[in-house]
Amino acid sequence: FEVNMGSPLEAVDVYAMYPALYQKQSDWESAGMTQAPPMSKEWHLEQIGAKAGVSLPEICLIDDDFKNIRAARSSGCVGIFVPGDNGFELQDAISQLKAKAP
């Protein structure tokens, strides 16, 4: 999709990774993992980068937990914080991207 910031944004893929769902051995084995995933966001971002074939600065994490945004940013990713109780709304993300544009 394109946001009127002068450059197109390309979404390669969307990943929803919830480590809490993969803590039982039967769950992580059925997902093809050799162990339960760590609860760290950094690990998940590295896995996504490897699977998608992109570097961390090419990944954008959209999350409603600011500690995950801090973790993403400290790893070199783009992080967009989605405040409130409404979950992700595209217009919120677009507004934040526009606010950060030069």
Side-chain angles (χ1 to χ4, degrees), residues 49-65:
K51 184 174 182 177
V54 297
S55 64
L56 291 176
E58 295 176 281
I59 296 174
C60 177
L61 174 71
I62 301 170
D63 204 301
D64 63 352
D65 186 338

Side-chain angles (χ1 to χ4, degrees), residues 2-8:
E2 185 168 325
V3 178
N4 292 323
M5 293 174 37
S7 64

Side-chain angles (χ1 to χ4, degrees), residues 2 5 10 19 37 52 65 70 73 78-79 81 84 91:
E2 185 168 325
M5 293 174 37
E10 181 183 335
D65 186 338
R70 279 196 303 269
R73 291 176 180 170
V78 173
F81 177 61
Q91 193 56 48

Side-chain angles (χ1 to χ4, degrees), residues 19-67:
L21 299 178
Y22 300 103
Q23 294 304 303
K24 293 190 297 187
Q25 183 174 358
S26 59
D27 294 334
W28 52 258
E29 281 182 341
S30 68
M33 298 181 214
T34 58
Q35 63 185 21
M39 298 296 277
S40 72
K41 194 55 72 175
E42 293 90 343
W43 180 85
H44 293 104
L45 295 169
E46 290 170 6
Q47 297 300 306
I48 290 167
K51 184 174 182 177
V54 297
S55 64
L56 291 176
E58 295 176 281
I59 296 174
C60 177
L61 174 71
I62 301 170
D63 204 301
D64 63 352
D65 186 338
F66 200 75
K67 74 176 184 189

